[in-house]
């Protein structure tokens, strides 16, 4: 009996130490067999629960590491205990700041520091015009106060809501204008024909002017309507040589480096329209065609397209508002070319950005793997 008790005590100590892969020796435990079986069953159950808990922790860590939401855990004294890559990228240029004071790390980002110090939910617009939602929650961990900060990017969601509102307005205005322009154009054409029959050249010229302006206004309206009715992209494997040949038939530019070697999927028509818009802008900037460069670079996860010109770039106001619907710095511009380009690339889950790079402007487009 004494040996049985010693064997059971040894097994119990293993369980207490977290070693769940041992069992009571059935050859040495006879009188206390039921108790030994109970301990063995408990050991198997605890081992399974530990494995399940480990898998859950691994899954949670994978989610945190890949999440675009910045995650920061601190103690009551603002000492940072845990961060994910999104937080490192947002706050500390990709470097971990575990062990630092949170207030010290964000000291050079006034808006973010102010928002975090309030320790409550709210929106913050950072210096690069991106919009973020901040939530702060406190809880007890090991009987000690901790703070969890979640900083979620909202720029794309807000822009999508803005575009949805603009498109709804465009559809309504386009419908009303079409109802007016169609009979007006028809009457102008009929009046021109009648004036020509009566040899009233001056009156015929008058109606011809009305008809021409109606056509131009209709083309203008149709351009907006096409932007408002952009369909979801139909993805297909991109044929880059064919696309470049088609673009060079329309606009002159220099291709730098090699075309993408990996397989990338996108809507061919929409992608072509986007690049046509950007090349058109580059030519209208006054840049010599031989100084307009298109460059591709790729990794396994992302394709980057860079378009550079030598047209002098944009002033600060134009650069800040260039992607806003209807904004234009051109006398005869419609203000939808860049907005449509952004709408197309964001429908592909990509992004577009503009930068002044003397002697001109650089437009950077990123496309993730489909």
């Amino acid at each position: 009996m004494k040996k049985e008790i010693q064997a059971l005590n040894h097994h119990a100590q293993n369980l207490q130490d977290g070693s769940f892969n041992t069992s009571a020796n059935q050859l040495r435990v006879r009188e206390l067999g039921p108790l030994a079986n109970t301990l063995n069953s408990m050991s198997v159950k605890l081992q399974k629960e530990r494995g399940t808990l480990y898998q859950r922790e691994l899954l949670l860590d994978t989610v945190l590491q890949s999440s675009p939401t910045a995650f920061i855990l601190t103690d009551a004294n603002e000492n940072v205990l845990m961060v994910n890559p999104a937080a490192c990228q947002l706050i500390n240029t990709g470097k971990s700041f575990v062990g630092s004071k949170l207030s010290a790390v964000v000291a050079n980002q006034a808006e973010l520091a102010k928002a975090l110090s309030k320790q409550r939910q709210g929106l913050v617009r950072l210096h690069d015009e991106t919009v973020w939602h901040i939530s702060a929650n406190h809880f007890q961990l090991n009987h000690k106060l901790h703070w969890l900060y979640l900083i979620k990017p909202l720029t794309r969601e807000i822009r999508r809501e803005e575009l949805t509102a603009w498109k709804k307005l465009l559809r309504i205005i386009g419908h009303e204008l079409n109802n007016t322009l169609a009979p007006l154009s028809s009457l102008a054409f009929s009046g021109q024909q009648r004036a020509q029959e009566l040899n009233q050249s001056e009156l015929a010229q008058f109606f011809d002017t009305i008809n021409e302006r109606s056509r131009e206004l209709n083309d203008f309206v149709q351009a907006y309507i096409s932007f408002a009715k952009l369909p979801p992209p139909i993805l297909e494997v991109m044929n880059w040589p064919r696309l470049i040949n088609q673009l060079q038939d329309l606009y002159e530019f220099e291709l730098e480096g090699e075309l993408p070697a990996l397989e990338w999927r996108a809507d061919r028509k929409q992608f072509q329209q986007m690049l046509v818009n950007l090349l058109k802008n580059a030519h209208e900037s006054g840049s010599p065609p031989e100084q307009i460069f298109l460059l591709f670079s790729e990794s396994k996860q992302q394709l980057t397209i860079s378009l550079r010109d030598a047209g002098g770039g944009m002033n600060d106001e134009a650069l800040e508002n260039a992607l806003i619907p209807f904004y234009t710095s051109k006398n005869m511009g419609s203000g939808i070319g860049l907005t449509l380009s952004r709408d197309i690339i964001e429908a592909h889950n990509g992004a577009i950005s503009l930068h002044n790079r003397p002697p001109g402007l650089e437009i950077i487009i990123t496309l993730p793997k489909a």
Side-chain angles (χ1 to χ4, degrees):
M1 177 69 70
K2 183 176 180 180
K3 291 182 178 179
E4 292 185 23
I5 294 175
Q6 288 177 344
L8 292 176
N9 279 336
H10 179 69
H11 184 43
Q13 289 173 357
N14 287 337
L15 294 180
Q16 186 177 8
D17 294 337
S19 177
F20 305 134
N21 57 353
T22 61
S23 61
N25 192 330
Q26 299 296 323
L27 296 177
R28 298 178 61 185
V29 179
R30 296 177 181 177
E31 297 294 331
L32 299 178
L35 178 58
N37 290 334
T38 301
L39 287 175
N40 288 337
S41 298
M42 185 184 301
S43 178
V44 171
K45 184 177 180 180
L46 290 173
Q47 187 175 6
K48 289 181 178 179
E49 289 182 350
R50 170 188 267 185
T52 301
L53 182 60
Y54 174 75
Q55 292 297 325
R56 289 179 179 176
E57 289 180 348
L58 184 62
L59 176 61
L60 177 60
D61 183 66
T62 301
V63 171
L64 289 177
Q65 294 301 312
S66 60
S67 173
T69 299
F71 167 94
I72 306 171
L73 179 66
T74 72
D75 61 17
N77 297 318
E78 290 190 339
N79 296 310
V80 178
L81 305 177
M82 186 182 298
V83 294
N84 68 341
C88 298
Q89 191 63 43
L90 174 65
I91 295 176
N92 203 33
T93 63
K95 301 175 183 177
S96 177
F97 50 96
V98 172
S100 304
K101 287 278 188 182
L102 180 58
S103 56
V105 178
V106 299
N108 61 340
Q109 302 185 47
E111 292 298 323
L112 183 58
K114 181 180 178 181
L116 290 174
S117 66
K118 294 179 180 179
Q119 293 186 324
R120 59 173 183 265
Q121 294 193 33
L123 296 178
V124 60
R125 185 181 294 272
L126 301 184
H127 59 86
D128 58 356
E129 295 303 314
T130 55
V131 180
W132 300 75
H133 176 266
I134 295 178
S135 65
N137 298 281
H138 61 85
F139 60 96
Q140 294 289 330
L141 182 63
N142 295 328
H143 306 291
K144 294 181 180 179
L145 180 66
H146 289 73
W147 283 90
L148 176 64
Y149 299 91
L150 299 176
I151 311 174
K152 179 182 179 181
L154 287 182
T155 305
R156 179 166 294 181
E157 285 78 1
I158 290 176
R159 285 177 175 172
R160 283 176 178 170
E161 291 300 321
E162 289 176 348
L163 283 174
T164 300
W166 280 118
K167 289 178 178 182
K168 184 177 180 180
L169 176 62
L170 282 174
R171 286 193 291 268
I172 295 172
I173 294 175
H175 177 74
E176 296 300 323
L177 282 176
N178 278 333
N179 288 342
T180 302
L181 287 174
L184 181 62
S185 179
S186 178
L187 286 172
F189 180 78
S190 298
Q192 181 187 16
Q193 295 296 316
R194 183 59 177 165
Q196 290 175 348
E197 292 173 0
L198 298 174
N199 293 322
Q200 296 290 332
S201 58
E202 186 175 349
L203 185 59
Q205 181 64 37
F206 173 75
F207 281 117
D208 182 61
T209 301
I210 295 177
N211 194 30
E212 182 181 355
R213 290 300 302 145
S214 296
R215 287 198 307 269
E216 291 177 355
L217 183 56
N218 182 66
D219 291 341
F220 181 81
V221 172
Q222 292 304 319
Y224 277 97
I225 292 176
S226 65
F227 162 67
K229 294 182 178 180
L230 181 69
I234 300 175
L235 302 183
E236 59 181 289
V237 177
M238 293 295 293
N239 185 333
W240 296 110
R242 179 185 176 190
L243 176 62
I244 294 300
N245 289 335
Q246 291 172 337
L247 293 174
Q248 289 182 331
D249 288 339
L250 299 173
Y251 292 101
E252 293 183 53
F253 64 91
E254 299 294 328
L255 179 64
E256 278 195 340
E258 301 295 328
L259 292 175
L262 300 177
E263 183 178 286
W264 299 93
R265 300 176 66 85
D267 188 302
R268 180 183 58 81
K269 293 181 180 178
Q270 290 187 13
F271 226 76
Q272 182 181 17
Q273 183 60 53
M274 176 186 67
L275 292 174
V276 165
N277 289 342
L278 301 181
L279 287 168
K280 177 175 178 288
N281 286 344
H283 278 261
E284 291 178 351
S285 71
S287 173
E290 64 272 13
Q291 294 189 44
I292 298 176
F293 299 98
L294 188 65
L295 173 67
F296 293 86
S297 59
E298 61 182 343
S299 66
K300 291 183 179 180
Q301 299 300 324
Q302 179 175 284
L303 174 67
T304 301
I305 305 173
S306 173
L307 179 65
R308 302 194 310 270
D309 63 49
M314 294 182 172
N315 58 44
D316 292 341
E317 179 186 355
L319 193 63
E320 182 178 349
N321 297 293
L323 296 174
I324 295 177
F326 312 137
Y327 177 85
T328 180
S329 57
K330 303 174 185 176
N331 294 331
M332 299 296 292
S334 62
I336 64 170
L338 283 173
T339 309
L340 177 60
S341 298
R342 185 186 72 183
D343 203 21
I344 289 173
I345 193 61
E346 289 189 351
H348 288 75
N349 294 319
I352 183 172
S353 59
L354 284 67
H355 310 272
N356 279 323
R357 299 281 191 266
L361 184 74
E362 181 179 28
I363 300 176
I364 298 176
I365 299 165
T366 56
L367 177 71
K369 268 288 185 184

